[in-house]
Amino acid sequence: MAFARRIIRAAGERVAQADDWELSELLSLRDDVEAAIARGVEGLREQGHSWQYIGTALGIRRQSAQERYGRGPNAGA
C-alpha cells in the first residue's frame, strides 16, 4: 500500500505542475480505489463480519457503511 500511496502522491504533484492529462487519470484511480473498497467490504460480509465492524474499519457509522456498501447478497444481515 505504501508504494501505491507514493505513486498517487507523485501523480498529484505532476497535476499541480500543470500536467492536465494526469488529472483525468487520478479521477480514474479514484473509481478503481472505490471499487476495491467495495470488493473488500463484500468479502468481509461474506466472512460474517458485522456492519459495525466494517463501519469502524472505514471510520464511519455502521448505518453509513451499510447504506453505502450494502448492495450484495448479505446486505441486510
Side-chain angles (χ1 to χ4, degrees), residues 1-59:
M1 293 292 183
F3 179 69
R5 283 187 187 100
R6 286 194 304 271
I7 290 171
I8 291 168
R9 286 185 190 126
E13 287 300 319
R14 285 191 297 275
V15 170
Q17 297 170 11
D19 188 344
D20 300 343
W21 181 82
E22 288 285 335
L23 183 58
S24 64
E25 290 298 307
L26 282 174
L27 288 170
S28 176
L29 280 176
R30 179 175 63 185
D31 294 340
D32 292 340
V33 169
E34 183 58 38
I37 292 168
R39 176 60 191 118
V41 168
E42 179 183 348
L44 290 173
R45 290 294 295 154
E46 289 170 358
Q47 294 175 32
H49 290 283
S50 69
W51 284 112
Q52 182 64 50
Y53 177 90
I54 293 167
T56 298
L58 292 170

